[in-house]
Amino acid sequence: METFDRARAEESLRGKFRKKLFVRFAKGIADYELLQPDDKVAVCISGGKDSMLMAKLFQELKRHNKFPFELVFLVMDPGYSEANLENIKKNAQMLGVPITVFQSDIFENVLHIEKSPCYICARMRRGNLYAAAKELGCNKIALGHHYDDVIETILMAMLYGGQIQTMMPKIRSKNFAGMELIRPMYYVRESDIIAWRDYNGLKFLQCACRFTEGVQAEEVTSKRQKVKELIHMIAKDDPEIEQNIFKSVENASLSNLISYKDKAGNRHRFTEDY
């Protein structure tokens, strides 16, 4: 890592990876109206490849300065090991990302929960991020979920949840008034994130979860990983599969659904106006 060249990494976002990373990042923000003038965004960094790249893309967007907005690069320490936290700080320094770190004890609180610990951990992490961001004067938090996360979520909802829904590009917080969650990496492919990481010789955290520490990767097979492998297998023969999964929640026809819920949560069946 001594040979890391920050200028080269930043230039690669303007040159080699511009169309696949920056252009798609900017398009997602424009299409879903994720940024408005005078927003103050907490860019949430977990230490992985997605959120670290998101931080650099936000810096590049800020460089264009089309309208005024502020950025805070927020890192929550939910109980990382000393080595993992040091890794995040080191990468942030190398990449020129001025992070703000705050502590929480989420890992400790969920360590002994047997039922759905990952779900509870995710909810607690999000709540802590909202609270810290609001305290810093932010009105939005940005998470690094990408295109592949979106299509995997669509299939997971169908296969494991028996429902049609997706990971939305933006959500208003129900518990923190005036706060919003945005996902500006919505159009960015994971393979392109990996390509940028490897091109620049960067090494980010894979998984810093306390539940998986000391456990071999093959023993931690999640539902998401199964769905990821399924999509990859099918897409080998038909590359349009991934795009079709994404478009399926854009082209939903209520008249061709047996039943659906409206915004108020009321269920309607097709027989109502058959």
Side-chain angles (χ1 to χ4, degrees):
M1 298 304 289
E2 294 178 357
T3 60
F4 176 73
D5 187 338
R6 185 198 304 173
R8 178 176 183 267
E10 292 174 344
E11 181 56 37
S12 70
L13 293 176
R14 300 168 199 147
K16 181 178 178 66
F17 294 97
R18 182 177 182 276
K19 287 186 179 180
K20 291 187 174 181
L21 294 179
F22 182 73
V23 169
R24 290 180 183 178
F25 176 80
K27 179 174 170 56
I29 288 175
D31 283 358
Y32 299 116
E33 301 175 354
L34 302 185
L35 274 184
Q36 281 76 41
D38 301 318
D39 275 345
K40 186 172 182 180
V41 183
V43 181
C44 301
I45 298 174
S46 66
K49 65 186 189 315
D50 309 326
S51 59
M52 281 293 194
L53 173 59
M54 177 176 65
K56 294 307 296 178
L57 289 171
F58 262 118
Q59 286 183 324
E60 181 63 19
L61 187 69
K62 182 75 172 169
R63 194 177 71 87
H64 290 262
N65 206 29
K66 296 236 176 139
F67 57 81
F69 65 93
E70 293 183 60
L71 298 171
V72 174
F73 299 98
L74 192 60
V75 174
M76 179 180 65
D77 175 9
Y80 290 138
S81 67
E82 188 175 333
N84 283 334
L85 186 58
E86 187 57 34
N87 177 280
I88 295 172
K89 290 178 178 179
K90 183 179 178 182
N91 279 328
Q93 184 177 21
M94 282 196 314
L95 288 164
V97 178
I99 59 174
T100 298
V101 182
F102 74 97
Q103 308 291 321
S104 73
D105 53 3
I106 291 175
F107 281 175
E108 192 63 37
N109 288 335
V110 301
L111 195 58
H112 304 294
I113 294 176
E114 293 183 4
K115 189 175 181 180
S116 305
C118 295
Y119 172 78
I120 294 170
C121 181
R123 291 292 298 270
M124 290 177 68
R125 278 187 283 124
R126 188 169 300 180
N128 275 262
L129 287 169
Y130 269 129
K134 191 165 188 176
E135 198 170 295
L136 291 168
C138 299
N139 65 310
K140 292 180 178 177
I141 64 171
L143 301 185
H145 297 117
H146 48 67
Y147 186 97
D148 296 76
D149 290 323
V150 176
I151 62 175
E152 288 160 16
T153 298
I154 294 169
L155 271 194
M156 285 178 69
M158 295 176 65
L159 298 176
Y160 296 109
Q163 55 190 325
I164 298 174
Q165 64 176 32
T166 189
M167 180 182 282
M168 298 297 287
K170 61 181 180 182
I171 306 170
R172 288 192 181 95
S173 174
K174 295 179 180 178
N175 300 316
F176 295 86
M179 296 292 292
E180 192 175 11
L181 179 156
I182 61 173
R183 294 184 170 104
M185 304 274 280
Y186 212 74
Y187 288 152
V188 177
R189 296 304 308 262
E190 185 175 28
S191 58
D192 295 322
I193 299 172
I194 293 170
W196 178 81
R197 177 199 68 189
D198 294 347
Y199 176 79
N200 290 291
L202 291 159
K203 295 188 183 300
F204 300 120
L205 295 186
Q206 294 292 327
C207 178
C209 175
R210 290 271 290 277
F211 288 97
T212 59
E213 283 182 354
V215 182
Q216 292 185 354
E218 59 264 27
E219 294 176 355
V220 187
T221 306
S222 67
K223 291 177 180 177
R224 182 170 292 277
Q225 184 60 33
K226 289 179 182 177
V227 169
K228 184 188 289 285
E229 291 168 2
L230 175 63
I231 294 172
H232 180 71
M233 181 183 68
I234 300 173
K236 279 183 179 179
D237 297 323
D238 190 346
E240 292 185 358
I241 286 291
E242 294 161 316
Q243 186 179 17
N244 288 341
I245 295 172
F246 187 92
K247 285 184 175 180
S248 69
V249 291
E250 289 186 338
N251 299 324
S253 173
L254 295 184
S255 61
N256 287 310
L257 292 177
I258 300 297
S259 69
Y260 66 92
K261 288 182 180 179
D262 60 24
K263 287 185 176 181
N266 300 311
R267 184 174 292 279
H268 302 274
R269 291 182 62 83
F270 83 101
T271 51
E272 291 176 4
D273 56 0
Y274 179 72

